[in-house]
Short mmCIF file of all heavy atoms in Angstrom, two decimals:
data_model
loop_
_atom_site.label_atom_id
_atom_site.label_comp_id
_atom_site.label_asym_id
_atom_site.label_seq_id
_atom_site.Cartn_x
_atom_site.Cartn_y
_atom_site.Cartn_z
N PRO A 59 0.77 -1.22 -0.02
CA PRO A 59 0.00 -0.06 -0.07
C PRO A 59 0.85 1.32 0.01
O PRO A 59 1.94 1.30 0.57
CB PRO A 59 -0.82 -0.08 1.27
CG PRO A 59 0.00 -1.07 2.15
CD PRO A 59 0.74 -2.11 1.31
N VAL A 60 0.23 2.29 -0.72
CA VAL A 60 0.94 3.65 -0.81
C VAL A 60 -0.06 4.56 -0.16
O VAL A 60 -1.10 4.78 -0.55
CB VAL A 60 1.25 3.99 -2.30
CG1 VAL A 60 1.90 5.36 -2.33
CG2 VAL A 60 2.14 2.88 -2.94
N PHE A 61 0.53 5.32 0.80
CA PHE A 61 -0.20 6.35 1.60
C PHE A 61 -0.31 7.62 0.63
O PHE A 61 0.54 7.87 -0.40
CB PHE A 61 0.31 6.60 2.81
CG PHE A 61 -0.07 5.69 3.90
CD1 PHE A 61 0.64 4.44 3.98
CD2 PHE A 61 -1.11 6.00 4.84
CE1 PHE A 61 0.16 3.48 4.82
CE2 PHE A 61 -1.48 5.00 5.75
CZ PHE A 61 -0.85 3.78 5.82
N PRO A 62 -1.42 8.45 0.78
CA PRO A 62 -1.34 9.82 0.13
C PRO A 62 -0.12 10.57 0.29
O PRO A 62 0.51 10.55 1.40
CB PRO A 62 -2.57 10.51 0.75
CG PRO A 62 -3.49 9.41 1.38
CD PRO A 62 -2.47 8.33 1.83
N VAL A 63 0.35 11.27 -0.57
CA VAL A 63 1.54 12.11 -0.57
C VAL A 63 1.43 13.18 0.48
O VAL A 63 0.32 13.91 0.74
CB VAL A 63 1.85 12.75 -1.89
CG1 VAL A 63 0.85 13.76 -2.39
CG2 VAL A 63 3.33 13.34 -1.97
N GLN A 64 2.47 13.44 1.20
CA GLN A 64 2.65 14.47 2.10
C GLN A 64 2.96 15.73 1.17
O GLN A 64 4.20 15.91 0.82
CB GLN A 64 3.72 14.35 3.18
CG GLN A 64 4.14 15.57 4.00
CD GLN A 64 3.08 16.29 4.58
OE1 GLN A 64 1.98 15.70 5.06
NE2 GLN A 64 3.18 17.49 4.69
N ALA A 65 1.99 16.63 0.90
CA ALA A 65 2.19 17.56 -0.16
C ALA A 65 2.82 18.79 0.06
O ALA A 65 3.07 19.65 -0.71
CB ALA A 65 0.73 17.79 -0.82
N TYR A 66 3.20 19.06 1.43
CA TYR A 66 3.81 20.19 1.88
C TYR A 66 5.19 19.97 2.52
O TYR A 66 5.33 19.09 3.32
CB TYR A 66 2.94 21.08 2.86
CG TYR A 66 1.57 21.43 2.35
CD1 TYR A 66 0.42 20.88 2.84
CD2 TYR A 66 1.53 22.36 1.33
CE1 TYR A 66 -0.77 21.11 2.14
CE2 TYR A 66 0.34 22.71 0.71
CZ TYR A 66 -0.92 21.96 1.16
OH TYR A 66 -1.97 22.44 0.67
N GLY A 67 6.17 20.62 1.99
CA GLY A 67 7.44 20.39 2.50
C GLY A 67 8.26 21.60 3.05
O GLY A 67 7.63 22.68 3.31
N ILE A 68 9.50 21.60 3.01
CA ILE A 68 10.39 22.72 3.38
C ILE A 68 10.97 23.34 2.19
O ILE A 68 11.80 22.92 1.39
CB ILE A 68 11.54 22.24 4.31
CG1 ILE A 68 10.96 21.39 5.49
CG2 ILE A 68 12.41 23.38 4.76
CD1 ILE A 68 12.07 20.80 6.29
N THR A 69 10.39 24.60 1.78
CA THR A 69 10.88 25.32 0.69
C THR A 69 10.78 26.78 0.91
O THR A 69 10.13 27.53 0.10
CB THR A 69 9.97 24.89 -0.48
OG1 THR A 69 10.45 25.64 -1.77
CG2 THR A 69 8.59 25.10 -0.28
N PRO A 70 11.57 27.33 1.98
CA PRO A 70 11.40 28.72 2.24
C PRO A 70 11.96 29.75 1.22
O PRO A 70 11.60 30.85 1.01
CB PRO A 70 12.19 28.94 3.56
CG PRO A 70 13.22 27.79 3.60
CD PRO A 70 12.43 26.73 2.85
N TYR A 71 12.90 29.25 0.37
CA TYR A 71 13.63 29.99 -0.52
C TYR A 71 12.69 30.42 -1.70
O TYR A 71 13.03 31.35 -2.51
CB TYR A 71 14.83 29.32 -1.12
CG TYR A 71 14.61 27.73 -1.06
CD1 TYR A 71 14.02 27.12 -2.02
CD2 TYR A 71 15.25 27.14 -0.06
CE1 TYR A 71 13.87 25.73 -1.95
CE2 TYR A 71 14.99 25.69 -0.04
CZ TYR A 71 14.33 24.97 -0.99
OH TYR A 71 14.09 23.69 -0.91
N PHE A 72 11.61 29.77 -1.95
CA PHE A 72 10.67 30.02 -3.01
C PHE A 72 9.42 30.91 -2.63
O PHE A 72 8.51 30.95 -3.36
CB PHE A 72 10.25 28.83 -3.77
CG PHE A 72 11.32 28.11 -4.61
CD1 PHE A 72 11.34 26.79 -4.79
CD2 PHE A 72 12.48 28.78 -5.09
CE1 PHE A 72 12.31 26.05 -5.45
CE2 PHE A 72 13.38 28.16 -5.81
CZ PHE A 72 13.33 26.74 -5.99
N MET A 73 9.43 31.28 -1.42
CA MET A 73 8.25 32.08 -0.93
C MET A 73 7.86 33.34 -1.63
O MET A 73 6.73 33.87 -1.49
CB MET A 73 8.45 32.38 0.53
CG MET A 73 8.37 30.98 1.39
SD MET A 73 6.85 30.01 1.20
CE MET A 73 5.65 31.23 1.75
N ALA A 74 8.85 33.89 -2.52
CA ALA A 74 8.42 35.06 -3.27
C ALA A 74 7.60 34.70 -4.57
O ALA A 74 7.22 35.54 -5.34
CB ALA A 74 9.68 35.76 -3.67
N TYR A 75 7.38 33.34 -4.76
CA TYR A 75 6.67 32.85 -5.84
C TYR A 75 5.27 32.40 -5.37
O TYR A 75 5.16 31.50 -4.58
CB TYR A 75 7.34 31.60 -6.57
CG TYR A 75 8.58 31.98 -7.25
CD1 TYR A 75 9.82 31.84 -6.59
CD2 TYR A 75 8.57 32.35 -8.58
CE1 TYR A 75 10.97 32.21 -7.27
CE2 TYR A 75 9.82 32.52 -9.19
CZ TYR A 75 10.99 32.37 -8.60
OH TYR A 75 12.12 32.80 -9.25
N PRO A 76 4.23 33.11 -5.67
CA PRO A 76 2.71 32.88 -5.29
C PRO A 76 2.49 31.46 -5.59
O PRO A 76 2.63 30.83 -6.51
CB PRO A 76 1.92 33.74 -6.07
CG PRO A 76 2.91 34.89 -6.50
CD PRO A 76 4.11 34.32 -6.72
N GLY A 77 1.83 30.78 -4.58
CA GLY A 77 1.41 29.36 -4.63
C GLY A 77 2.23 28.48 -3.91
O GLY A 77 1.83 27.33 -3.56
N THR A 78 3.45 28.92 -3.59
CA THR A 78 4.42 28.10 -2.79
C THR A 78 3.93 28.08 -1.29
O THR A 78 3.58 29.07 -0.70
CB THR A 78 5.91 28.59 -2.89
OG1 THR A 78 6.28 28.63 -4.17
CG2 THR A 78 6.80 27.94 -2.00
N VAL A 79 4.01 26.91 -0.77
CA VAL A 79 3.64 26.74 0.69
C VAL A 79 4.90 25.95 1.27
O VAL A 79 5.35 24.90 0.82
CB VAL A 79 2.52 25.82 0.94
CG1 VAL A 79 2.26 25.49 2.31
CG2 VAL A 79 1.36 26.43 0.28
N SER A 80 5.49 26.68 2.36
CA SER A 80 6.55 25.92 3.14
C SER A 80 6.23 25.75 4.60
O SER A 80 5.76 26.63 5.25
CB SER A 80 7.78 26.96 2.96
OG SER A 80 8.93 26.45 3.49
N LEU A 81 6.67 24.61 5.14
CA LEU A 81 6.60 24.27 6.44
C LEU A 81 7.95 24.54 7.22
O LEU A 81 9.04 24.49 6.61
CB LEU A 81 6.26 22.85 6.81
CG LEU A 81 4.88 22.24 6.13
CD1 LEU A 81 4.77 20.72 6.52
CD2 LEU A 81 3.89 23.09 6.55
N ARG A 82 7.85 25.12 8.48
CA ARG A 82 9.03 25.28 9.15
C ARG A 82 9.73 23.92 9.42
O ARG A 82 8.98 22.87 9.44
CB ARG A 82 8.81 25.93 10.57
CG ARG A 82 8.41 27.37 10.47
CD ARG A 82 8.22 27.93 11.86
NE ARG A 82 8.07 29.48 11.73
CZ ARG A 82 6.84 30.08 11.60
NH1 ARG A 82 5.75 29.44 11.28
NH2 ARG A 82 6.91 31.35 11.48
N ALA A 83 11.05 23.82 9.53
CA ALA A 83 11.66 22.57 9.72
C ALA A 83 11.28 21.91 11.00
O ALA A 83 11.02 20.62 10.99
CB ALA A 83 13.21 22.87 9.85
N THR A 84 10.97 22.60 12.03
CA THR A 84 10.37 21.99 13.29
C THR A 84 9.03 21.40 13.05
O THR A 84 8.65 20.21 13.50
CB THR A 84 10.38 22.99 14.39
OG1 THR A 84 9.64 24.15 13.97
CG2 THR A 84 11.87 23.36 14.78
N THR A 85 8.30 22.07 12.21
CA THR A 85 6.86 21.61 11.95
C THR A 85 6.99 20.29 11.13
O THR A 85 6.38 19.27 11.32
CB THR A 85 5.97 22.57 11.17
OG1 THR A 85 6.00 23.78 12.00
CG2 THR A 85 4.66 22.09 10.81
N TYR A 86 7.83 20.37 10.07
CA TYR A 86 7.93 19.18 9.17
C TYR A 86 8.52 18.03 9.87
O TYR A 86 7.99 16.86 9.82
CB TYR A 86 8.90 19.56 8.06
CG TYR A 86 8.93 18.53 6.93
CD1 TYR A 86 7.86 18.38 6.10
CD2 TYR A 86 10.00 17.75 6.71
CE1 TYR A 86 7.83 17.47 5.08
CE2 TYR A 86 9.99 16.75 5.68
CZ TYR A 86 8.92 16.70 4.86
OH TYR A 86 8.87 15.71 3.88
N ALA A 87 9.48 18.26 10.74
CA ALA A 87 9.95 17.04 11.61
C ALA A 87 8.95 16.46 12.54
O ALA A 87 8.86 15.20 12.53
CB ALA A 87 11.17 17.51 12.44
N ALA A 88 8.13 17.21 13.05
CA ALA A 88 6.99 16.91 13.90
C ALA A 88 5.98 16.03 13.07
O ALA A 88 5.46 14.94 13.42
CB ALA A 88 6.28 17.86 14.63
N VAL A 89 5.64 16.54 11.78
CA VAL A 89 4.77 15.81 10.84
C VAL A 89 5.24 14.39 10.61
O VAL A 89 4.62 13.39 10.60
CB VAL A 89 4.51 16.59 9.68
CG1 VAL A 89 3.74 15.80 8.58
CG2 VAL A 89 3.77 17.84 9.94
N ILE A 90 6.60 14.34 10.19
CA ILE A 90 7.24 13.01 9.84
C ILE A 90 7.17 12.04 11.04
O ILE A 90 6.77 10.89 10.97
CB ILE A 90 8.62 13.19 9.44
CG1 ILE A 90 8.63 13.99 7.99
CG2 ILE A 90 9.37 11.81 9.14
CD1 ILE A 90 7.88 13.49 6.82
N ARG A 91 7.41 12.54 12.17
CA ARG A 91 7.38 11.74 13.40
C ARG A 91 5.94 11.21 13.54
O ARG A 91 5.82 10.09 13.93
CB ARG A 91 7.94 12.48 14.51
CG ARG A 91 9.42 12.76 14.56
CD ARG A 91 9.94 13.04 15.90
NE ARG A 91 9.94 11.99 16.83
CZ ARG A 91 10.94 11.16 17.12
NH1 ARG A 91 12.12 11.32 16.57
NH2 ARG A 91 10.78 10.19 18.02
N ASP A 92 5.03 12.13 13.60
CA ASP A 92 3.56 11.63 13.75
C ASP A 92 3.21 10.69 12.76
O ASP A 92 2.49 9.67 13.08
CB ASP A 92 2.69 12.92 13.76
CG ASP A 92 2.87 13.75 15.01
OD1 ASP A 92 3.46 13.36 15.94
OD2 ASP A 92 2.24 14.90 14.92
N ILE A 93 3.63 10.80 11.48
CA ILE A 93 3.20 9.87 10.49
C ILE A 93 3.80 8.44 10.83
O ILE A 93 3.11 7.51 10.75
CB ILE A 93 3.70 10.36 9.03
CG1 ILE A 93 2.82 11.59 8.60
CG2 ILE A 93 3.58 9.13 7.98
CD1 ILE A 93 3.45 12.15 7.43
N LEU A 94 5.05 8.46 11.13
CA LEU A 94 5.84 7.35 11.49
C LEU A 94 5.15 6.57 12.77
O LEU A 94 4.92 5.35 12.84
CB LEU A 94 7.21 7.42 11.71
CG LEU A 94 8.02 7.85 10.36
CD1 LEU A 94 9.50 8.21 10.77
CD2 LEU A 94 7.95 6.76 9.40
N ASP A 95 4.89 7.45 13.77
CA ASP A 95 4.10 6.90 14.95
C ASP A 95 2.85 6.29 14.61
O ASP A 95 2.55 5.05 15.07
CB ASP A 95 3.93 7.99 15.93
CG ASP A 95 5.19 8.47 16.71
OD1 ASP A 95 6.03 7.75 16.69
OD2 ASP A 95 5.11 9.52 17.27
N SER A 96 1.99 6.81 13.68
CA SER A 96 0.81 6.33 13.29
C SER A 96 0.91 5.02 12.60
O SER A 96 0.14 4.08 12.84
CB SER A 96 0.06 7.26 12.38
OG SER A 96 -0.23 8.43 13.10
N LEU A 97 1.91 4.91 11.69
CA LEU A 97 2.13 3.70 10.97
C LEU A 97 2.58 2.58 11.89
O LEU A 97 2.08 1.42 11.69
CB LEU A 97 3.19 3.84 9.87
CG LEU A 97 2.85 4.88 8.78
CD1 LEU A 97 3.82 4.95 7.67
CD2 LEU A 97 1.47 4.51 8.11
N LYS A 98 3.29 2.91 12.88
CA LYS A 98 3.79 1.81 13.74
C LYS A 98 2.60 1.23 14.57
O LYS A 98 2.43 0.07 14.85
CB LYS A 98 4.83 2.39 14.75
CG LYS A 98 5.21 1.24 15.73
CD LYS A 98 6.39 1.75 16.79
CE LYS A 98 6.69 0.74 17.77
NZ LYS A 98 7.54 1.16 18.83
N ILE A 99 1.74 2.14 15.07
CA ILE A 99 0.59 1.83 15.84
C ILE A 99 -0.27 0.87 15.01
O ILE A 99 -0.88 -0.19 15.62
CB ILE A 99 -0.20 3.13 16.35
CG1 ILE A 99 0.66 3.80 17.30
CG2 ILE A 99 -1.64 2.74 16.85
CD1 ILE A 99 -0.05 5.23 17.70
N ALA A 100 -0.52 1.21 13.70
CA ALA A 100 -1.23 0.32 12.81
C ALA A 100 -0.68 -1.14 12.67
O ALA A 100 -1.41 -1.96 12.44
CB ALA A 100 -1.34 1.01 11.44
N GLY A 101 0.63 -1.25 12.76
CA GLY A 101 1.27 -2.43 12.62
C GLY A 101 2.26 -2.54 11.47
O GLY A 101 2.84 -3.69 11.17
N PHE A 102 2.54 -1.41 10.81
CA PHE A 102 3.51 -1.43 9.75
C PHE A 102 4.92 -1.36 10.38
O PHE A 102 5.15 -0.70 11.44
CB PHE A 102 3.36 -0.17 8.93
CG PHE A 102 2.12 -0.26 8.07
CD1 PHE A 102 0.95 0.65 8.49
CD2 PHE A 102 2.06 -0.98 6.91
CE1 PHE A 102 -0.18 0.57 7.74
CE2 PHE A 102 0.95 -0.94 6.11
CZ PHE A 102 -0.23 -0.19 6.49
N ARG A 103 5.89 -2.22 9.81
CA ARG A 103 7.21 -2.35 10.37
C ARG A 103 8.25 -2.03 9.35
O ARG A 103 9.39 -1.91 9.83
CB ARG A 103 7.29 -3.76 10.99
CG ARG A 103 6.45 -3.96 12.17
CD ARG A 103 6.93 -3.08 13.41
NE ARG A 103 6.09 -3.26 14.65
CZ ARG A 103 5.00 -2.67 14.88
NH1 ARG A 103 4.51 -1.67 14.00
NH2 ARG A 103 4.24 -2.92 16.00
N ARG A 104 7.88 -2.05 8.16
CA ARG A 104 9.03 -1.78 7.06
C ARG A 104 8.27 -0.61 6.09
O ARG A 104 7.28 -0.77 5.51
CB ARG A 104 9.22 -3.03 6.35
CG ARG A 104 10.09 -3.98 7.05
CD ARG A 104 10.25 -5.31 6.24
NE ARG A 104 8.97 -5.92 5.92
CZ ARG A 104 8.83 -6.88 5.07
NH1 ARG A 104 9.90 -7.25 4.29
NH2 ARG A 104 7.69 -7.49 4.78
N ILE A 105 8.93 0.49 6.18
CA ILE A 105 8.42 1.84 5.69
C ILE A 105 9.38 2.39 4.73
O ILE A 105 10.60 2.59 5.02
CB ILE A 105 8.00 2.79 6.68
CG1 ILE A 105 6.96 2.12 7.64
CG2 ILE A 105 7.43 3.97 6.09
CD1 ILE A 105 6.84 2.87 8.99
N LEU A 106 8.96 2.74 3.53
CA LEU A 106 9.79 3.60 2.55
C LEU A 106 9.30 4.87 2.37
O LEU A 106 8.06 5.10 2.13
CB LEU A 106 9.82 2.90 1.20
CG LEU A 106 10.61 3.73 0.24
CD1 LEU A 106 12.16 3.50 0.32
CD2 LEU A 106 10.25 3.07 -1.29
#
């Protein structure tokens, strides 16, 4: 199974281009940890 794409990343350098959305590094790190925590709780043990 493939999960939906995490569509927002870290891209502060392009913020002068309308439509760009950037997460703070701390926010992004927290999102990744929360995703991994959720997958572990579900029972996934090998993740790409």
Side-chain angles (χ1 to χ4, degrees):
V60 177
F61 279 79
V63 65
Q64 166 55 34
Y66 301 110
I68 303 173
T69 180
Y71 30 82
F72 290 151
M73 288 304 295
Y75 292 89
T78 296
V79 176
S80 183
L81 301 182
R82 288 183 171 85
T84 51
T85 302
Y86 191 71
V89 168
I90 296 300
R91 290 194 69 95
D92 284 352
I93 290 172
L94 294 175
D95 284 341
S96 298
L97 295 183
K98 179 183 178 180
I99 290 170
F102 293 99
R103 293 295 181 269
R104 293 176 291 165
I105 302 162
L106 180 71

